Amino acid sequence: MALFPSSTQDIPPTGDVPRHIAIIMDGNGRWAKKRFMPRVAGHKRGVETVREIIKACIERGVSYLTLFAFSSENWRRPQEEVSFLMQLFLRALEEEVAKLNENNIRFRVIGDLSRFDPQIVDLIRRGEALTVGNAALTLTVAANYGGRWDILQAMEKMLAACPQRRSGFSEADLAPHLALNYGPEPDLFIRTGGEQRISNFLLWQLAYSELYFTDTLWPEFDAAALDQAIASYQQRERRFGRTSEQLQADSGPERLKDGTRSPTASENA
Ligand code: IPE
Ligand code: IPE
Ligand code: MG
């Protein structure tokens, strides 16, 4: 079995605390507009929410947090807003990476970095190298990321890895080339800001994630709001294709230390 099996191939271990939370941080512009402030003031404020949510995730025992910061479609925004977001990203990299490291956080970026300023790419690479051994939380920032881009780039890498092969590929052949190949698929997906769509975020990896949408705007999302999302997650029955009766028949196996349940014999068969 692979270290992080695909949810459509194997039944992943599940527990009360999601191992991996992925968030579309939406609503910064509307938050600012409500206060008669420029949209970019919302983005600035949104960075504070990021700090609070990282801390809250560590306190709650979440192992992976993936944040959608800039989509491959966000280049369509007004030039001034795009420039501001790039400056904000640059400044956050300069100021926050050392703090992430002090807090034992592993930092990763996923997305097509070819459109970014070389200075930003350099800071990303250095931040990733600096924090590679950290274990409190893996924080992934999705920047110039698109779910379709991810699947396509993985496919290209998969084909390059076995140039003689033309058919008979499996999910297990593709998955190791996806951008998030170092972590499990998200257990819980959160989108703030009221929209109920995926907006080309992790298309492959969200196949069996629990989806949670809230009207709360990202600058107002806090630890209590995160707890509400986790509480909703805890109400869900994650069946992965099975029936509720099957789950009940299988209930009661020993719990692992981290709160996850070990797969039962029938799941492993
Ligand atoms: C999300 O907030 C942040 C980014 C996309 C960078 P928005 O900027 O989309 O805020 P709204 O949706 O306009 O309120
Ligand atoms: C999605 O937000 C991308 C990020 C949060 C970075 P958008 O606000 O750009 O999404 P759409 O285009 O309205 O769906
Ligand atoms: Mg938006």
Side-chain angles (χ1 to χ4, degrees), residues 25-31 39 43 69-70 74 77 81 85:
M25 310 180 288
D26 197 18
N28 292 349
R30 279 164 285 161
W31 179 88
R39 291 180 51 82
H43 297 317
F70 193 87
N74 285 144
R77 294 195 176 194
E81 183 169 342
L85 286 167

Side-chain angles (χ1 to χ4, degrees), residues 163-201:
Q164 316 304 339
R165 237 169 109 188
R166 282 286 161 268
S167 61
F169 292 105
S170 69
E171 284 181 31
D173 294 317
L174 187 89
H177 302 291
L178 290 162
L180 264 178
N181 59 4
Y182 49 86
E185 293 171 4
D187 300 295
L188 173 61
F189 160 92
I190 299 172
R191 181 170 186 146
T192 63
E195 311 294 355
Q196 303 199 356
R197 54 182 175 244
I198 303 290
S199 300
N200 199 17
F201 195 26

